[in-house]
Amino acid sequence: MEHKMTFDDLWEQEERQALKKRLLHEYPAWKRHRARRRALAAIALMAVVVLAPFTIHLSPSRGYDSVCCNRTTFPESHWVDLSAAILTIQTI
C-alpha cells in the first residue's frame, strides 16, 4: 500500500524540519541564559536574606524628645512616658 504525499503533507514536513533545526540551534543558548538567570536570582535572594536583619529595626532607636498637647495640667514628661508605653504596646 503506497501512501502518496499531498502538498499539505510536504509543507508540514518541511515546517517541522525547519522548526527542529531552529530549536536544536537555539536550545543551548536558551539553556545557558536560563541557568544564568537562576544563578542571579539565587544570589539576589541570598543578598536579601543576609542584608534584611541589618536593615529591619524592631524597636525605635531614638526616644521621643517632646510631645505637644493642649492640656497643660500634666507635665510634658507624663505625655512622653504615656506615648512611649502606647507605642511599645502596639508594636508588640
Side-chain angles (χ1 to χ4, degrees), residues 46-61:
M46 287 178 9
V48 168
V49 168
V50 168
L51 296 176
F54 297 113
T55 59
I56 296 174
H57 300 288
L58 297 178
S59 63
S61 60

Side-chain angles (χ1 to χ4, degrees), residues 6-22:
T6 64
F7 176 78
D8 289 335
D9 295 334
L10 290 171
W11 185 272
E12 288 176 8
Q13 182 180 357
E14 288 301 316
E15 281 186 336
R16 280 193 302 271
Q17 291 297 327
L19 183 59
K20 181 181 173 183
K21 286 180 185 177
R22 186 177 137 231

Side-chain angles (χ1 to χ4, degrees), residues 5 10 14 22 34 38 41-42 44 52 54 59 61 70 72 79 86 88:
M5 299 279 288
L10 290 171
E14 288 301 316
R22 186 177 137 231
R34 180 176 174 222
R38 282 187 173 185
F54 297 113
S59 63
S61 60
N70 292 338
T72 59
W79 296 112
I86 291 171
T88 303

